[in-house]
Amino acid sequence: MNIFKRLLKNRISLLGLILLLCFVFVAIAAPWLAPPKEGSDPYRIPRRGWSLEPTPPTAQYPLGLTQGQYDIYYGLIWGTRTAFRVGIIVITFRALIGIILGSIAAYYGGLLDEILMRFTDIFMSFPYLIGVVVFVSIFGPGLNNVMIPLIALGWMPYARMIRGNILAIKQEEYVLAARAIGVSDFKIITRHILPNSIFPVLIQASMQIGSIVISVSALSFLGLGAPEGYADWGQMLSFARNWMLGEQGNVLKYWFTVVYPGLAMVLFVLSWNLIGDAFRDIMDPRIQA
Amino acid sequence: MLSYIVRRLLFLPVVLFGVTALIFALISTLGPWTRVATFVPSPDAERHVDLEAIIRKYNLDDPPLKMYLRWVKNLLQGNLGWSQSSHMTVTEAIARRFPATLELTLFAVIPVIIGGIFLGVISALHHNKPLDHATRIMAITLWSMPDFVLGLAVLMVGFGVLGWFPPGRLSAWAELEVLKESFRSFTGMYTLDSLLNLRLDIFWDALRHIIAPVFTLACLWWAFMLRITRSSMLDVLNQDYVRTARAKGLSEKTVIKKHALGNALIPVTTVASSMLLGLLGGVMIVETVFNYPGLGLLTSTAATRLDVPCVVGVALFYAVILVVVNLVVDVLYSIIDPRVRLE
C-alpha cells in the first residue's frame, strides 16, 4: 500500500493512473458509449457505406469514417477492449510460464536448473518480432496466432527474475524449517517461497502491457494480426496507410484516419509507461538521493 | 577469459540446434505444397509439376529425423530454399537486401548512442529539476510511440507536407544509374558506394531517402538509451568514490568526466545487444512504412504472402547474427569492466 501511495504522490505516475482509469472506463462502458447493432458481433466495426475513400468527421460520425467506411469512433471504443484483452492474456501466460519454469529451476537446482536455463537461452536467441512473423506466416494471420508466439517468446525474463529471487530466498530459515518438518516440495514452493518472491515479477510483467499492445498492433498494421473489420487500433492505422498522403493540393485531407487511432494508441501505452517509470524509481532503492 | 569464449562458442551450435529444431517442428505442420517449397531448393516448386513426383524426387516422405538432418545440411551449404514472393532463392534475396538494412541500422545507431548518452547524463545531473523532467517526459512519450505511428507521422510531414524526404531507397533516375556498369558496387550501401564512385548526386539522393526512416528508428531507441544512461548515471553519482572525489575538492567537471562517466557507461554497453534486437525488429515496421527495400520489407512482404521459406531464412540469418553479437557484447563487457569475471 505504501507503494501505491507513493505512486499517487508522484505527479507523473498520477497522470498515468488517471489516463489508465479513463481507458478502463471506456473499455467497461463500451456497450453504452458505442452500442453495437442488435445480434451482431460487437467487435466487428460497422460500415456506414461501401465507398473506399474515407469520409471526414460529421455530426453523426464525430471521428469520421476510415477506408471502407469503417466507423473510427466505434473502432476506437471497442478497440480499447481488444487492447486490454490482448495485453492481459499475453502477460498472464508469460508470467505463468516464467514463474513455473523459474521456480522449478531455482528450487531443484543442479542439472535440471542447467537444462532449463539453457532452454531459456535458446528462446532468448530468437529475434522476437521475427519469431512472431515466422509463426504467423506458418499458421496464418489472426489475433490468436499473434498472441501465442508473443507468449512463447516472452516468458524468459520472468523465469530468470523469479529464479534469481528464489535463489536468494531458498536458504532463508523459514524455508529450511518447512523442509525440516517434512512439508512437500510443491507446498513449500507455492506457500512459502512464491508469496515472498512473486510480487516484483508480477508488477514488472503488468508494466509490459503497453509494449505488448504495440507489438500486436504492429502486426495488425502489417496485415498479420486481426482480420479486416475487427475493432483493433493497429488495423485502423493500417487502413490509414493508403490515404495519409492525401491528394494533390490537400495533403492533410485524410488526417483523421491517422490522428485519432494513433492518439488512442500513444495515450494507452503512455499511461502504462508513466506508471512503470515512476515505479522503477520507487523500487530501486539506490536512486533516492 | 579464453575458456569463457570457448564455452560460449561451444554453446553456439546448441542454440542453433534449438532454433532450427523449433522451426523445423513448425514447418512440419504445413500443407504439402508449402512444405515442398520449403525443402526444394529450386524453382521447380513454382511450376505446376506433379506433386507426387516432386515428393519422390526429393524423398520428402522420409522420416522426420532424416528430413531434419538433410534440411540442416542444406542450410549449412547456404541453401535456404526458394522464395515465391521475390522470385529468387532465399539466400540471394537476403544477400541483396541485407546491405540496405545494414546501412539503415548503422545510420541509426550513431545518433542513438551519442544523443542518448549525452541527454541521459544531462538529465541525471539535473536530477528532479525541470530539465530532468522535460527530457524524461519527452523520452517516455517517444518510447510510448509505436514505430508505425511515428513513421506514418514522419512520412506525412516529411514527404506529404514538406516534400523533402521521399519513401523508397533511390529515385528512379538514380536507380538506373546504380545499375549501370560504370557504377561499381563495393558494399551495396548506396551512400557509401556513391561516395566511392564520386557521384555526389546519387549520394545526395540516397541520403534524402534514408533520413526519414533513420529518424524514426533513432527516436525510439534514443529514448531507450537516455533512460538507461540516466538511471545508471544517477546510481554512480550516489557512490562513495564520487562523494570522495567531490570532498577532496575536485571541480564538478573533473568529477563527472574522470570518475563518474566511465563507470556509468558500463551498463549501457550491455543494452547494446537488446538495442540491436529491437532495431532488427523495428526495421521490419519502419522499412514497410517507408517502402525501403531491406530485409525488413522482404520479411513482411513474404509473411503476408505466406512465403514460409523466405521468412524462415531471414529468421535463421537473424538468429546467427544475434548469437554472435551477444557473444561480442559479453566479451567487450568484461574488457571494459574488470570487475566482471566471466566464468
Side-chain angles (χ1 to χ4, degrees):
Chain A
M1 272 301 94
N2 185 25
I3 291 172
F4 191 66
K5 257 187 207 152
R6 291 185 56 182
L7 279 180
L8 283 181
K9 244 189 186 164
N10 185 325
R11 247 177 296 167
I12 291 182
S13 55
L14 184 64
L15 181 70
L17 277 174
I18 292 173
L19 267 174
L20 190 61
L21 280 179
C22 292
F23 278 107
V24 171
F25 170 76
V26 170
I28 293 173
W32 294 279
L33 289 173
K37 236 211 211 130
E38 201 67 42
S40 66
D41 177 5
Y43 286 101
R44 294 214 67 82
I45 310 173
R47 301 182 77 161
R48 314 291 188 193
W50 301 101
S51 143
L52 212 56
E53 191 189 336
T55 318
T58 55
Q60 201 183 357
Y61 308 117
L63 304 186
L65 305 171
T66 189
Q67 173 184 315
Q69 307 302 307
Y70 287 106
D71 191 336
I72 295 181
Y73 171 75
Y74 188 97
L76 290 192
I77 299 282
W78 285 87
T80 315
R81 280 199 176 191
T82 311
F84 272 113
R85 195 183 42 167
V86 164
I88 290 170
I89 291 178
V90 172
I91 277 303
T92 311
F93 280 98
R94 272 187 187 180
L96 212 62
I97 297 174
I99 287 168
I100 292 173
L101 291 185
S103 45
I104 290 177
Y107 187 77
Y108 291 104
L111 187 64
L112 192 62
D113 182 26
E114 185 72 21
I115 292 173
L116 281 176
M117 283 301 112
R118 291 296 82 81
F119 194 64
T120 318
D121 284 345
I122 290 176
F123 270 84
M124 279 199 141
S125 52
F126 217 87
Y128 176 74
L129 215 53
I130 305 282
V132 179
V133 171
V134 170
F135 191 91
V136 174
S137 68
I138 290 177
F139 290 101
L143 266 191
N144 286 342
N145 284 352
V146 169
M147 287 199 282
I148 293 170
L150 277 180
I151 295 168
L153 296 173
W155 53 269
M156 298 80 72
Y158 309 122
R160 285 195 168 175
M161 247 167 88
I162 204 101
R163 176 175 170 271
N165 287 350
I166 291 181
L167 282 182
I169 289 177
K170 207 169 124 186
Q171 297 304 323
E172 296 274 339
E173 281 178 5
Y174 63 88
V175 175
L176 297 179
R179 195 177 299 164
I181 58 173
V183 181
S184 74
D185 284 351
F186 181 73
K187 255 193 178 166
I188 292 183
I189 293 181
T190 52
R191 290 265 174 84
H192 299 280
I193 293 183
L194 281 184
N196 287 302
S197 54
I198 212 170
F199 184 62
V201 178
L202 288 184
I203 296 284
Q204 279 270 351
S206 58
M207 290 306 137
Q208 293 285 317
I209 287 182
S211 71
I212 286 168
V213 170
I214 291 189
S215 305
V216 173
S217 304
L219 288 153
S220 287
F221 176 78
L222 293 177
L224 302 172
E228 184 179 334
Y230 195 87
D232 174 86
W233 296 338
Q235 194 193 182
M236 305 203 64
L237 280 163
S238 83
F239 282 146
R241 243 173 92 187
N242 302 326
W243 304 95
M244 68 193 167
L245 294 179
E247 57 175 28
Q248 210 76 45
N250 188 4
V251 181
L252 297 178
K253 192 176 175 198
Y254 305 110
W255 59 275
F256 51 92
T257 57
V258 179
V259 171
Y260 291 128
L263 206 62
M265 267 203 77
V266 173
L267 287 179
F268 184 83
V269 180
L270 187 64
S271 68
W272 287 103
N273 285 352
L274 286 177
I275 302 171
D277 199 60
F279 203 85
R280 210 175 340 251
D281 276 8
I282 291 174
M283 292 295 276
D284 193 343
R286 291 171 309 173
I287 313 178
Q288 273 166 33
Chain B
M1 176 79 169
L2 194 68
S3 78
Y4 173 79
I5 297 178
V6 169
R7 247 190 64 178
R8 282 291 298 262
L9 281 176
L10 285 179
F11 183 58
L12 200 132
V14 178
V15 168
L16 290 179
F17 167 74
V19 172
T20 49
L22 215 65
I23 289 181
F24 183 80
L26 288 177
I27 293 175
S28 308
T29 64
L30 285 170
W33 264 114
T34 5
R35 262 169 73 187
V36 166
T38 314
F39 291 113
V40 178
S42 71
D44 278 14
E46 287 232 300
R47 282 186 225 134
H48 291 278
V49 266
D50 187 18
L51 183 60
E52 289 289 323
I54 293 184
I55 291 176
R56 242 175 293 119
K57 185 178 168 202
Y58 292 98
N59 303 319
L60 293 185
D61 45 1
D62 279 347
L65 185 68
K66 213 170 157 190
M67 288 278 295
Y68 172 74
L69 289 178
R70 203 166 51 223
W71 180 60
V72 170
K73 202 177 139 204
N74 267 332
L75 294 184
L76 290 177
Q77 289 166 350
N79 206 334
L80 297 170
W82 178 256
S83 162
Q84 274 163 314
S85 62
S86 44
H87 306 287
M88 56 179 99
T89 63
V90 175
T91 323
E92 203 184 330
I94 292 179
R96 278 198 192 179
R97 299 293 193 94
F98 181 60
T101 296
L102 189 65
E103 189 176 19
L104 192 58
T105 319
L106 288 180
F107 264 90
V109 156
I110 297 160
V112 164
I113 291 183
I114 295 175
I117 289 178
F118 180 72
L119 281 169
V121 169
I122 300 249
S123 190
L125 291 180
H126 292 83
H127 185 45
N128 278 340
K129 291 202 189 104
L131 193 64
D132 180 30
H133 289 309
T135 45
R136 246 177 108 187
I137 288 175
M138 206 154 74
I140 299 180
T141 313
L142 277 180
W143 184 243
S144 308
M145 192 88 76
D147 26 17
F148 54 99
V149 175
L150 187 64
L152 286 179
V154 170
L155 190 60
M156 220 164 154
V157 176
F159 181 56
V161 178
L162 302 172
W164 290 349
F165 308 117
R169 209 178 159 204
L170 280 180
S171 308
W173 65 266
E175 201 83 60
L176 288 176
E177 286 292 313
V178 169
L179 289 177
K180 275 185 191 160
E181 207 137 296
S182 55
F183 188 90
R184 281 186 61 194
S185 176
F186 297 95
T187 56
M189 297 188 246
Y190 289 152
T191 47
L192 201 60
D193 281 359
S194 57
L195 281 183
L196 292 174
N197 279 292
L198 302 173
R199 289 295 301 267
L200 282 179
D201 50 340
I202 297 179
F203 173 73
W204 176 241
D205 191 59
L207 203 63
R208 258 175 45 142
H209 283 83
I210 210 172
I211 284 177
V214 160
F215 176 76
T216 311
L217 265 183
C219 269
L220 302 165
W221 291 95
W222 168 81
F224 177 73
M225 208 65 183
L226 189 156
R227 282 168 72 174
I228 302 278
T229 318
R230 174 180 173 272
S231 63
S232 136
M233 189 72 188
L234 279 179
D235 182 28
V236 169
L237 285 178
N238 282 327
Q239 299 284 334
D240 285 342
Y241 62 84
V242 171
R243 198 172 308 140
T244 313
R246 280 196 182 128
K248 71 179 183 189
L250 291 182
S251 75
E252 192 62 21
K253 211 169 150 191
T254 322
V255 172
I256 287 155
K257 269 196 179 159
K258 287 244 166 94
H259 296 267
L261 194 59
N263 287 308
L265 290 186
I266 292 170
V268 177
T269 53
T270 45
V271 299
S273 64
S274 71
M275 189 170 90
L276 189 89
L277 241 178
L279 277 175
L280 290 177
V283 154
M284 190 163 66
I285 310 284
V286 170
E287 284 182 1
T288 310
V289 170
F290 291 99
N291 202 17
Y292 182 91
L295 275 187
L297 187 60
L298 178 75
T299 322
S300 70
T301 323
T304 45
R305 296 191 192 159
L306 302 182
D307 178 3
V308 177
C310 186
V311 177
V312 165
V314 175
L316 288 173
F317 182 68
Y318 274 163
V320 174
I321 292 187
L322 192 75
V323 173
V324 173
V325 167
N326 270 335
L327 176 68
V328 172
V329 167
D330 278 0
V331 172
L332 272 184
Y333 191 38
S334 75
I335 294 173
I336 299 172
D337 187 356
R339 285 172 306 180
V340 176
R341 288 278 162 265
L342 303 171
E343 305 148 20

